[in-house]
Amino acid sequence: MRVGVFICHCGNNIAGTVDVAKVAEEARNMPGVQFATDYMYTCSEPGQEEIKEAIQREQLDRVVVAACSPRMHELTFRRTVEKAGLNRYFFEMANIREHVSWVGEDKDLNTNKAIEAVKLAVEKVKQNKPLFPSSFEVNKRVLVIGGGVAGMQAAIDCAEGGLQVVMVEKSPSIGGMMARLDKTFPTVDCSICILGPKMVDVSQHDNITLHAYSEVEEIKGYVGNYQVKIRKKATYVDWTKCTGCGECTEKCPSKDAYDHFNYGVAPTTAITIPFPQAIPKKATIDPTYCRQFVRGKCGVCAKICPADAIDYEMKDEIVTEEVGAIITASGYGLIDLDRLPEYGGGRYPDVVSGIQYERLLNASGPTEGHILRPSDKEEPKTIVFVSCAGSRDKSIGIPYCSNFCCMYIAKEAILTRDHIPDSKVYVFYMDIRSPGKGYDEFTRRAQEEYGVRYVRGRVARVFPKGKKMIVKGVDTLLGTQIEVEADLVVLATAVTAAPGAPQLAEKLRISYDQHAFYVESHPKLRPVETNTSGVFLAGCCQGPKDIPASVGQGSAAAAKVLSLFSRDMLESDPAVANVNINVCVGCRKCINTCPYGAIEEEELRDGRIVAKVLETVCAGCGVCTSTCPCGAIQLQHFTDNQLLAEVNALCLS
Amino acid sequence: MTQKKLKEVVQKVLPDVDMVIGYRQGFDPVHATPFFVTRPEQIDELIWNPLCVHNLASYIPSLTTNKKVAVIVKGCDSRAINQYLQENLINRENLVVIGIPCSGVVSVSKVLKAVDHQIIESVSCENHAVTVKTSQGEKKLSVSDVSPDKCKTCLYPTPLVYDHLVGDPITSDKEPESVYDEVRSFEEKSLEDRFQFWKTELDRCIRCYACRNACPMCICQDRCIAESRDPHWVTQKTNQTEKFMYHMIHALHLAGRCVECEECTRVCPMEIPVAKIKKKINMEMDQLFDYKAGLNAEDTPPMYTFKVDEETIEEHEL
Amino acid sequence: MAENEYIYYPGCSLEATAIEYNMSVRLIFKALGIKLVEPDDWSCCGSTPAHSVDHVFAGALAARNLAIVEKMGASTVITPCPACLSAFKKAHLRMVDNEEFKKEVNELLEVPYECGVTAKSVLQVLLEDVGLEAIAEKVTTDFPDLKVAPYYGCIIARPPEVMQFDDPENPVAMDKILTALGVEVCDFAFKTECCGAAFGVVKKKMVNELSSKILNMVLDCGANCLSVPCQLCQQNLDLRQDQINATMHASFKLPVLYFTQIMGLAWGYSPRELGLDKHNVRADHLIRSKRSIEEKRREEEEKAKTKKGKGKKGKVKKKPKAPKTEDKKAETKQPEAKTEEA
Amino acid sequence: MSVVAGKELRIVGFLCNWCSYGGADTAGVSRFKQPSDLRIIRVPCSGRVDPLFVVKALLNGADGVLVAGCHPNDCHYSEGNFYARRRLEMLKKFLSYMGIDDKRFHYTWVSASEGARWQQVVTDFTKQIHALGPLHQKEEAGD
């Protein structure tokens, strides 16, 4: 065995707290090590050249690089050794940066730890076997989860790229949050006017199949070959017949249904079409309010529907779609007003959320664009905006900034002044966060041109006094407490992960952080990839972001899918389970425990039953290997002997 | 009398099977030995008495694939059959189970001790007692005095699975809870004492693998990872570490599978209480997953399944 | 210990200035057939200046009492006093998650405390253990004039990670109980605002301002008295009311009742039994007119008005009519910000 | 070379590649300082960790063994950690019966984003092992 070891300084990142020269020197004495050296930046072009040359010069047959995390550069170096003629699995990485130099202060201890990390890798690599990927076909269809602006952008870009797209939207219409906005910052452009055309593109594109009012039920398979079960929820209206004429919504007698689209600013009818530009423009019945369901009799809509589309008997329907990749753009949620009792959230009708206010501003909203306060439908003269309502607030478990509130508050403030010229508008803020093209200018316009009064300080309490709401807070610039008598209070409620985000993540087998936002492969360099190959992220499911950022991610995710699909065959990771039929006793324990059903029985000529791995289905978790009593089934690259070699390297000394 | 009835049953069964596995007299009066009956004239050699200690079920996995076999089982042995069925290691169609309700067997080594290892000339068994004749004279031993530990905690004297039952069912008079008293009292020892105990016990181990070979659930047999080089879990060194390792392997591979026939302890030439190790894990399986191995064929061994929410497992704090 | 029995730690002030709180608490538990057992030889809870001087010492003062309770074989101790409660809870929690602290504290104690006792407020057990049904069942009398502003004070639900009860910003436990009694509860915005009691001695002026703000809000929300679970608030707002009127040129005449007293009244006990006569601002005029709940029911059936909450989210509260209010000075004390402990 | 005498004890960690190894990376990137004793073995999934590896390590010289995987329901392989949970729990309950303090073995869940949590786990577990002291000084692995 001729192992070559390369210790990376990573500038000072490693060399700063690890004696790399000593590590290299120690490495030279390790059994099987032929050559060891340290280098400034091993991942650099010359650094990789050095490795290739050494492989030739020293006839190395195994390579160990001690540098950063393998999650960072394993692939880079595998390619390097492959270029030099070695099998890419004759390579191991010792993580002496994230796990050593960056977490330990004592140089001696770090150096010793690094030496052992190298020893570990050397012992492992000596056990490594050459592995060769097999290739399989790709199903060039893509599933887009979520019909918000990010999802729509992704869908359109994929469709334009010639891919078949399946879009799943859980609400009755696509459009997402943007469809609810009145205007967009910083241009004060009409939101639905710029979104509408995209929505139409989605609905009319030959390559896009839209499942509205549907949710992902189950996802099976792997990159290139996913099977997705989709639940089409019962709308109780036959959409093939419904013309969207809207007569039913006018005649519907139960008028106190919660209006999901308008965030309950005003009640709506049990049968609704969410908004004029809805796509598809079809009616949906909410059985929790519909009298036909609640009282068992009514049937008004059924009677008056000219297309006779009403079907109270309708049931959920499950459809299965086969795709090769998935883009999840499942969006975000907002915290409930009730979680802000100090602001009277949920208790006082005249304390509303930012998104509710958008609907009050919007011409197609319940007030037809006249700002009327919910309690008495009067026009408010003094409006107070409270930013960071829940955001950046550890005490309710939301330490992060919701990203776009500062901007939409400025926008809503400006619009308020437009709607009600004689209004007084206050904004309580912690900081004004406006880092974007034309953003800061915009917040300044709000203050300078529109005379919005920005108060730097937090609000302590909001309470009613007569018809007014008293907003009690502090002005940190004046260093005093202030009270504002408001007619209407608008809270910039904190952005949260979308309801049900964790459940979806579990179906997708991607990970999510403690706030249930989805985790990207790398925060800087792989922002739309996930650790599950074939699954990509777009928009706010990954974290709060504004429209341009979401659209950008939508296109980015689409680009990723297009490049993934640019090949007809994909290479499967050869690090999968493998059965030694001479040892297998056919006890079937692996078959019963495999999470993927990737193992089947095989009858040998002598009639013996043994296990057989379906290479493309196996995902390489290794549960089978730790289940097999006789060690007959071994996960390649993580075999018992490879792990035992590592354990022994550490323990037997 | 049971032995007579047994022979009648075997008469009936033999024509439709390739063999009947039972017991016959061994090389001396105190040893019974497994007996594979293939011809009617052999039936008369069959015996049934408290000396019939072996778990004959151990033989069937290798046989039922291509032979039709009948096997004679006691209550304890029968759990192995259920366990085989759970792990579908045998083909039930090819198996005829002849169950015998058992009121307890003897531990040969205890008998020999009782007569301080004299040559035994004859043994006669009558209701719950064995009379042993040596050159020193006769000695009458009550079975319960010389029975193996498993009988003292036996909850299932009547086979749990059978096609023919020889004799009337017997119900256990043992407290289910008492089964693990041995474990509990052992756990009262200090950590250090426990370690010293196993150190001295396992120190005697000669790694002959008799315990493994006798174990009905050790289905790997000659492919056991205790002997293989790939994977290479255990070296050939004869030190304490490797001895511990071997017995841990045996125990952990039996987690949720051990049917408590205690063959391992019976066959150990060094008289190491091997079954005592498994008993603890059996107790855990019982308490964590409310599971005893081999009680019925439909269960899934707890180590090969899971619940999304494990009510009985809480997170460990540091 | 027995089902219908609690270990009851009254705390120092309930033996003296707040004796009527003690009386009313004992009375209602008697009515509920629940025995209150005082730990023998209980001592100061430590919520004295001690905790601002020496945490270990303060902890030990609290832990001593908890240790006595523990020794009695009980796992719960109840106290009416929020200050004692928070002292107990603080000491307990700190000892649970800090071995070092636990050791130091136990070194000071003859009987070490093994952290086996949960402290609860009388309010909490009435709500959670006794339950609203049981409370409502006992109601015999209705006081039509009584319009109550529920005032909780600053510490009964704060800091949340310590008190682990009710909402720190908008507590509702007492509201629920009063409502169950059939008493009219007003939507009071200053439930947890600081009354300044802590500065009663050193900063009279500030205390008067803070207290007057609270009393103003009581009027604004249409109430004519306060209900409190805290004898410090009671003392401060009741005893000091004349002083407040004098310094703030106001003329408040707002009785400050313990919620347990109101319970007692509704259950038909006499004001004297409940020690209402011990208050500075008397409530007689509010409880003069009363009727049996049967009458009440009858009268209400007559004017059968149906009022339904509309929309999905939170029902609309009726607008309080704002009577005389002076004083709109921006100068107020910052209400306690939510505590930020990781 | 091995542990730095007097300063370190031998602690072996098995980390699943997707969550806990990532979590350890996150801790590193965030420069969350940790005791240096732990040596990390990377496995694809906590379900790959045969309890025998833990036994092997403890018998062969480790003073403590730590296994970390994705939180239940968040397994990259959807089910691996569920199997791990049962098997490792069984082992934890078993070890002390054989005379090996079960405090020397800990298994827990750390996600890729929980760098701070990882720091906490490593620090606390190392502290715990140091409190127990070396496992192997007394008993010699004689041949």
Side-chain angles (χ1 to χ4, degrees):
Chain A
M1 218 84 14
R2 300 169 68 87
V3 183
V5 181
F6 301 82
I7 317 295
C8 180
H9 295 222
C10 195
N12 270 341
N13 286 313
I14 294 170
T17 55
V18 172
D19 181 344
V20 281
K22 180 148 186 287
V23 178
E25 174 193 325
E26 286 287 348
R28 278 184 208 101
N29 312 327
M30 294 180 190
V33 173
Q34 168 67 19
F35 171 79
T37 182
D38 56 291
Y39 196 86
M40 194 53 156
Y41 286 107
T42 315
C43 60
S44 65
E45 195 59 42
Q48 299 187 45
E49 277 314 311
E50 162 112 8
I51 296 177
K52 291 189 209 149
E53 283 160 19
I55 293 175
Q56 312 302 354
R57 191 177 63 245
E58 311 279 340
Q59 292 128 44
L60 303 175
D61 54 10
R62 300 280 196 283
V63 171
V64 168
V65 170
C68 51
S69 168
R71 286 163 56 98
M72 186 80 195
H73 267 318
E74 192 171 50
L75 217 62
T76 320
F77 292 116
R78 277 182 177 172
R79 291 206 196 91
T80 315
V81 299
E82 202 163 44
K83 287 207 193 78
L86 294 185
N87 181 283
R88 53 164 52 192
Y89 288 89
F90 281 153
F91 167 78
E92 282 298 325
M93 243 181 128
N95 183 343
I96 61 169
R97 193 178 74 173
E98 283 82 349
H99 293 185
V100 180
S101 69
W102 277 351
V103 294
E105 282 138 327
D106 181 321
K107 192 158 185 171
D108 297 346
L109 293 180
N110 283 355
T111 306
N112 175 63
K113 190 175 177 184
I115 292 166
E116 292 201 340
V118 170
K119 184 181 174 204
L120 200 74
V122 168
E123 289 308 316
K124 166 100 193 287
V125 82
K126 286 196 285 186
Q127 296 287 334
N128 285 10
K129 304 259 177 305
L131 300 176
F132 304 93
S134 57
S135 58
F136 60 92
E137 276 191 27
V138 190
N139 176 348
K140 295 189 178 180
R141 303 178 78 229
V142 55
L143 171 73
V144 176
I145 303 172
V149 68
M152 290 196 287
Q153 187 62 46
I156 292 166
D157 290 352
C158 289
E160 285 301 307
L163 301 179
Q164 287 297 323
V165 181
V166 179
M167 176 180 275
V168 174
E169 165 58 46
K170 79 167 164 216
S171 52
S173 167
I174 57 171
M177 283 295 190
M178 186 175 172
R180 295 177 162 100
L181 305 183
D182 181 42
K183 303 285 188 293
T184 58
F185 59 78
T187 51
V188 200
D189 212 334
C190 163
S191 186
I192 197 66
C193 313
I194 54 176
L195 186 68
K198 272 197 190 301
M199 294 166 66
V200 175
D201 289 355
V202 169
S203 65
Q204 292 181 353
H205 204 295
D206 299 341
N207 289 355
I208 301 179
T209 320
L210 172 61
H211 297 291
Y213 207 53
S214 304
E215 292 188 46
V216 172
E217 184 82 358
E218 176 191 271
I219 301 175
K220 279 202 152 59
Y222 49 94
V223 59
N225 297 284
Y226 286 106
Q227 299 85 38
V228 185
K229 280 210 178 81
I230 297 164
R231 172 179 298 273
K232 292 175 85 66
K233 295 178 282 184
T235 58
Y236 306 104
V237 177
D238 181 342
W239 281 8
T240 56
K241 295 182 186 163
C242 177
T243 61
C245 67
E247 274 192 50
C248 49
T249 63
E250 284 154 29
K251 300 285 183 306
C252 176
S254 71
K255 303 201 179 301
D256 60 350
Y258 180 71
D259 188 340
H260 292 275
F261 183 76
N262 287 321
Y263 274 86
V265 206
T268 182
T269 48
I271 185 165
T272 47
I273 298 171
F275 56 105
Q277 303 85 343
I279 285 182
K281 194 162 189 294
K282 308 282 181 187
T284 310
I285 293 178
D286 182 343
T288 47
Y289 297 96
C290 172
R291 296 189 180 181
Q292 187 65 31
F293 289 89
V294 179
R295 304 187 190 162
K297 61 175 196 311
C298 175
V300 172
C301 47
K303 284 188 206 76
I304 56 108
C305 176
D308 147 51
I310 309 297
D311 171 11
Y312 299 119
E313 302 307 309
M314 192 183 274
K315 297 262 167 296
D316 290 8
E317 177 194 354
I318 302 284
V319 296
T320 305
E321 294 276 7
E322 308 225 317
V323 298
I326 302 174
I327 296 173
T328 177
S330 40
Y332 67 98
L334 292 159
I335 61 165
D336 263 342
L337 284 168
D338 326 36
R339 282 183 65 188
L340 303 164
E342 63 271 43
Y343 299 152
R347 275 181 299 153
Y348 308 120
D350 293 336
V351 177
V352 300
S353 67
I355 190 77
Q356 289 177 319
Y357 195 67
E358 288 289 340
R359 298 313 298 157
L360 290 175
L361 288 166
N362 187 278
S364 63
T367 56
E368 277 135 10
H370 306 296
I371 305 174
L372 303 175
R373 55 186 227 160
S375 63
D376 53 13
K377 303 283 173 285
E378 281 173 27
E379 186 174 74
K381 291 300 177 193
T382 310
I383 295 108
V384 174
F385 292 88
V386 181
S387 66
C388 300
S391 308
R392 303 171 68 187
D393 184 347
K394 279 210 217 92
S395 71
I396 62 168
I398 303 184
Y400 55 86
C401 166
S402 292
N403 180 300
F404 46 72
C405 319
C406 287
M407 292 309 296
Y408 81 67
I409 282 183
K411 174 196 70 186
E412 290 181 349
I414 286 175
L415 293 171
T416 310
R417 295 280 293 149
D418 278 338
H419 279 66
I420 315 169
D422 61 340
S423 59
K424 285 214 217 72
V425 178
Y426 295 81
V427 172
F428 281 83
Y429 69 98
M430 290 164 76
D431 312 283
I432 301 176
R433 300 196 164 173
S434 50
K437 199 173 175 186
Y439 285 14
D440 202 59
E441 299 88 316
F442 186 71
T443 53
R444 291 213 155 281
R445 272 176 67 206
Q447 301 165 62
E448 290 156 8
E449 286 173 40
Y450 289 84
V452 177
R453 302 165 198 208
Y454 271 68
V455 182
R456 189 180 190 285
R458 299 202 71 177
V459 171
R461 190 173 289 292
V462 175
F463 55 88
K465 193 172 200 177
K467 292 168 104 277
K468 298 277 186 184
M469 299 301 298
I470 307 297
V471 180
K472 192 154 166 283
V474 58
D475 183 330
T476 55
L477 299 181
L478 295 178
T480 87
Q481 303 244 338
I482 68 168
E483 283 187 8
V484 181
E485 282 203 355
D487 302 305
L488 184 64
V489 180
V490 181
L491 305 179
T493 45
V495 170
T496 65
Q503 292 75 356
L504 178 60
E506 284 150 22
K507 289 174 188 156
L508 289 161
R509 279 188 246 106
I510 60 178
S511 42
Y512 50 91
D513 64 21
Q514 66 268 47
H515 308 295
F517 289 114
Y518 297 164
V519 177
E520 62 279 22
S521 297
H522 190 282
K524 298 286 174 208
L525 302 176
R526 309 185 74 211
V528 297
E529 292 95 321
T530 68
N531 284 333
T532 302
S533 58
V535 179
F536 303 94
L537 305 173
C540 290
C541 61
Q542 177 265 352
K545 54 180 64 65
D546 62 3
I547 293 167
S550 300
V551 172
Q553 278 199 334
S555 293
K560 287 288 168 189
V561 173
L562 285 160
S563 66
L564 176 72
F565 286 178
S566 64
R567 276 157 274 147
D568 300 325
M569 305 290 278
L570 285 182
E571 285 196 339
S572 69
D573 182 350
V576 295
N578 174 300
V579 181
N580 176 346
I581 56 169
N582 302 322
V583 177
C584 177
V585 294
C587 70
R588 298 180 182 78
K589 291 176 176 52
C590 54
I591 299 176
N592 300 334
T593 49
C594 176
Y596 297 85
I599 312 175
E600 359 178 90
E601 287 179 24
E602 179 183 31
E603 184 166 0
L604 301 178
R605 263 191 243 86
D606 63 2
R608 264 177 62 224
I609 299 292
V610 294
K612 176 166 174 292
V613 176
L614 307 171
E615 286 189 11
T616 50
V617 184
C618 173
C621 64
V623 168
C624 53
T625 310
S626 53
T627 303
C628 178
C630 46
I633 189 166
Q634 291 288 335
L635 174 61
Q636 298 308 295
H637 210 57
F638 292 97
T639 62
D640 285 343
N641 275 2
Q642 285 170 316
L643 297 184
L644 284 167
E646 295 183 87
V647 173
N648 292 338
L650 291 176
C651 297
L652 303 172
S653 52
Chain B
M1 179 257 190
T2 322
Q3 184 163 312
K4 191 156 147 298
K5 282 209 213 76
L6 174 65
K7 290 178 179 173
E8 291 164 15
V9 173
V10 175
Q11 283 287 5
K12 267 206 257 86
V13 172
L14 186 56
D16 328 334
V17 299
D18 299 308
M19 69 177 78
V20 177
I21 311 175
Y23 305 90
R24 74 168 160 191
Q25 193 54 61
F27 66 89
D28 79 354
V30 78
H31 284 89
T33 185
F35 180 36
F36 297 71
V37 180
T38 50
R39 285 171 283 110
E41 54 272 31
Q42 298 173 302
I43 293 179
D44 214 40
E45 289 183 61
L46 281 168
I47 62 164
W48 171 255
N49 61 35
L51 302 176
C52 301
V53 287
H54 314 71
N55 181 353
L56 301 177
S58 315
Y59 292 107
I60 44 185
S62 51
L63 294 171
T64 52
T65 41
N66 42 25
K67 285 197 174 57
K68 205 159 178 7
V69 185
V71 64
I72 294 166
V73 293
K74 306 183 286 294
C76 45
D77 311 339
S78 72
R79 287 174 66 183
I81 293 176
N82 273 331
Q83 196 58 29
Y84 288 142
L85 292 168
Q86 277 183 34
E87 305 182 19
N88 54 51
L89 294 166
I90 57 171
N91 174 358
R92 187 68 173 88
E93 283 74 57
N94 286 351
L95 179 65
V96 178
V97 183
I98 303 171
I100 305 184
C102 161
S103 52
V105 293
V106 301
S107 150
V108 173
S109 58
K110 286 185 183 173
V111 173
L112 290 175
K113 272 201 202 67
V115 297
D116 46 41
H117 298 272
Q118 296 292 323
I119 307 294
I120 293 180
E121 294 162 358
S122 77
V123 177
S124 65
C125 310
E126 63 290 310
N127 43 28
H128 309 306
V130 285
T131 316
V132 186
K133 189 155 175 298
T134 67
S135 51
Q136 313 302 75
E138 280 202 344
K139 189 153 192 189
K140 188 168 184 190
L141 304 162
S142 136
V143 170
S144 53
D145 296 343
V146 290
S147 63
D149 298 356
K150 67 170 174 180
C151 295
K152 297 187 169 61
T153 61
C154 174
L155 295 177
Y156 312 97
T158 308
L160 297 160
V161 49
Y162 55 79
D163 304 301
H164 306 275
L165 190 64
V166 180
D168 308 327
I170 306 173
T171 46
S172 167
D173 53 358
K174 309 287 187 301
E175 258 309 307
E177 262 315 291
S178 70
V179 174
Y180 302 117
D181 289 350
E182 173 197 2
V183 176
R184 293 199 188 87
S185 62
F186 181 71
E187 283 184 317
E188 280 158 17
K189 292 175 187 273
S190 75
L191 200 65
E192 186 51 28
D193 293 355
R194 271 176 266 161
F195 184 76
Q196 284 310 327
F197 174 86
W198 290 118
K199 193 176 162 189
T200 25
E201 288 298 325
L202 297 183
D203 191 46
R204 296 201 300 280
C205 177
I206 54 172
R207 304 251 309 263
C208 65
Y209 303 123
C211 49
R212 179 197 72 200
N213 298 344
C215 174
M217 299 322 296
C218 275
I219 48 168
C220 310
Q221 293 301 333
D222 59 350
R223 286 134 169 151
C224 176
I225 60 169
E227 287 179 288
S228 81
R229 307 199 105 265
D230 184 2
H232 197 196
W233 282 94
V234 196
T235 69
Q236 299 314 305
K237 291 213 193 96
T238 58
N239 61 23
Q240 170 195 316
T241 323
E242 302 306 84
K243 289 172 181 177
F244 264 74
M245 192 64 204
Y246 162 66
H247 286 281
M248 295 286 237
I249 290 173
H250 192 186
L252 293 184
H253 278 179
L254 285 171
R257 304 175 60 234
C258 171
V259 294
E260 305 181 313
C261 64
E262 295 189 6
E263 288 289 86
C264 44
T265 301
R266 178 180 68 82
V267 299
C268 179
M270 308 308 289
E271 302 196 321
I272 301 168
V274 196
K276 192 186 179 77
I277 304 177
K278 287 117 195 163
K279 197 100 181 170
K280 162 66 175 173
I281 299 186
N282 296 345
M283 178 171 117
E284 291 313 330
M285 291 299 127
D286 201 349
Q287 289 174 354
L288 280 174
F289 309 115
D290 183 24
Y291 176 91
K292 284 198 180 72
L295 294 197
N296 68 64
E298 281 66 44
D299 292 352
T300 315
M303 291 296 105
Y304 308 128
T305 179
F306 62 84
K307 286 203 201 121
V308 172
D309 303 303
E310 302 275 8
E311 310 80 15
T312 51
I313 303 178
E314 68 269 338
E315 296 229 351
H316 298 279
E317 298 301 319
L318 274 166
Chain C
M1 52 182 260
E3 233 330 296
N4 54 351
E5 161 173 328
Y6 282 109
I7 308 297
Y8 174 70
Y9 177 94
C12 55
S13 50
L14 271 81
E15 299 279 289
T17 49
I19 190 140
E20 69 275 27
Y21 194 8
N22 205 349
M23 290 161 70
S24 53
V25 169
R26 290 181 173 284
L27 201 56
I28 56 170
F29 274 90
K30 188 147 159 291
L32 288 162
I34 299 174
K35 189 145 158 274
L36 295 182
V37 184
E38 266 189 52
D40 332 330
D41 188 34
W42 60 264
S43 53
C44 172
C45 70
S47 75
T48 50
H51 72 280
S52 44
V53 187
D54 179 345
H55 284 288
V56 178
F57 176 52
L61 284 170
R64 179 180 181 279
N65 295 296
L66 294 172
I68 294 175
V69 175
E70 199 166 44
K71 224 156 180 272
M72 297 168 75
S75 60
T76 313
V77 60
I78 70 170
T79 174
C81 169
C84 302
L85 182 68
S86 93
F88 288 159
K89 281 183 167 293
K90 278 211 190 77
H92 173 81
L93 289 174
R94 191 140 178 209
M95 286 174 80
V96 168
D97 49 30
N98 181 343
E99 269 306 317
E100 196 41 47
F101 182 76
K102 183 177 174 184
K103 236 169 80 263
E104 292 178 55
V105 166
N106 277 336
E107 273 161 10
L108 298 180
L109 300 177
E110 63 279 15
V111 189
Y113 173 52
E114 295 310 333
C115 302
V117 178
T118 329
K120 289 183 180 176
S121 65
V122 165
L123 180 60
Q124 184 173 4
V125 296
L126 282 173
L127 184 72
E128 290 173 358
D129 300 6
V130 174
L132 296 174
E133 297 73 15
I135 290 171
E137 272 167 22
K138 289 211 170 311
V139 177
T140 63
T141 326
D142 171 58
F143 299 87
D145 297 350
L146 216 52
K147 294 188 174 23
V148 183
Y151 177 64
Y152 290 77
C154 51
I155 53 172
I156 194 138
R158 292 172 173 171
E161 58 276 17
V162 173
M163 304 311 274
Q164 296 154 335
F165 172 65
D166 214 343
D167 186 307
E169 291 306 330
N170 180 39
V172 290
M174 193 161 58
D175 302 43
K176 286 185 184 154
I177 289 178
L178 294 170
T179 319
L181 295 170
V183 176
E184 178 178 343
V185 184
C186 301
D187 177 17
F188 184 55
F190 281 5
K191 283 176 171 182
T192 58
E193 225 67 355
C194 174
C195 72
F199 290 96
V201 188
V202 280
K203 282 193 157 63
K204 277 214 181 63
K205 182 169 178 300
M206 186 185 77
V207 178
N208 291 341
E209 279 166 3
L210 290 173
S211 302
S212 72
K213 280 192 172 299
I214 290 166
L215 295 173
N216 260 318
M217 180 53 68
V218 173
L219 294 174
D220 290 351
C221 76
N224 53 23
C225 68
L226 292 89
S227 166
V228 298
C230 168
Q231 76 285 358
L232 275 164
C233 309
Q234 201 281 339
Q235 192 185 354
N236 190 53
L237 294 172
D238 179 45
L239 225 50
R240 213 182 274 279
Q241 218 171 94
D242 303 339
Q243 196 183 88
I244 295 168
N245 287 336
T247 51
M248 307 299 296
H249 319 295
S251 53
F252 297 113
K253 198 168 179 313
L254 291 167
V256 186
L257 308 172
Y258 293 106
F259 76 104
T260 45
Q261 290 179 306
I262 301 179
M263 285 177 80
L265 288 169
W267 290 0
Y269 290 95
S270 74
R272 182 161 287 282
E273 290 173 285
L274 295 159
L276 260 76
D277 53 334
K278 303 209 180 305
H279 292 328
N280 166 35
V281 182
R282 302 293 293 260
D284 310 8
H285 62 292
L286 298 178
I287 56 179
R288 195 165 292 117
S289 79
K290 54 175 160 179
R291 53 185 178 177
S292 76
I293 47 166
E294 290 74 20
E295 294 170 48
K296 182 189 181 187
R297 218 173 277 115
R298 248 181 273 110
E299 284 163 37
E300 273 173 357
E301 272 154 17
E302 275 148 35
K303 46 184 169 77
K305 279 206 215 69
T306 44
K307 221 196 308 96
K308 276 204 177 58
K310 56 169 164 55
K312 175 128 186 295
K313 305 214 152 225
K315 60 222 119 338
V316 186
K317 292 259 170 66
K318 56 175 163 17
K319 287 274 152 297
K321 56 213 133 10
K324 66 148 205 31
T325 63
E326 68 280 330
D327 155 67
K328 200 167 282 78
K329 267 199 263 75
E331 245 308 319
T332 73
K333 184 182 180 298
Q334 172 84 332
E336 293 198 358
K338 295 208 222 82
T339 51
E340 237 124 89
E341 274 136 65
Chain D
M1 88 258 81
S2 72
V3 296
V4 177
K7 285 190 179 162
E8 278 182 346
L9 288 172
R10 169 59 73 224
I11 302 178
V12 180
F14 294 89
L15 276 63
C16 90
N17 176 54
W18 301 102
C19 294
S20 303
Y21 196 96
D25 283 356
T26 311
V29 174
S30 330
R31 310 297 197 280
F32 291 147
K33 298 290 176 252
Q34 302 154 31
S36 58
D37 308 47
L38 179 74
R39 304 290 180 264
I40 291 172
I41 294 177
R42 179 176 168 226
V43 292
C45 174
S46 51
R48 171 66 185 90
V49 182
D50 188 327
L52 287 170
F53 283 118
V54 180
V55 175
K56 181 80 177 172
L58 286 171
L59 289 178
N60 283 265
D63 301 304
V65 177
L66 175 64
V67 178
C70 306
H71 287 275
N73 288 322
D74 194 17
C75 177
H76 181 72
Y77 303 102
S78 71
E79 293 176 359
N81 56 1
F82 288 135
Y83 288 107
R85 180 168 57 185
R86 281 196 163 200
R87 296 169 183 183
L88 297 172
E89 180 68 17
M90 177 268 292
L91 178 70
K92 190 157 173 68
K93 293 229 180 331
F94 175 55
L95 279 175
S96 56
Y97 185 80
M98 298 304 286
I100 301 168
D101 195 331
D102 63 351
K103 287 205 215 61
R104 294 187 181 277
F105 164 54
H106 182 63
Y107 72 95
T108 187
W109 319 119
V110 178
S111 81
S113 59
E114 293 177 319
R117 175 166 156 71
W118 174 251
Q119 177 191 36
Q120 200 55 47
V121 169
V122 176
T123 314
D124 294 350
F125 187 62
T126 311
K127 210 182 286 165
Q128 182 165 308
I129 297 306
H130 277 267
L132 293 167
L135 169 61
H136 291 272
Q137 60 193 15
K138 47 188 178 309
E139 128 256 329
E140 71 310 317
D143 282 29

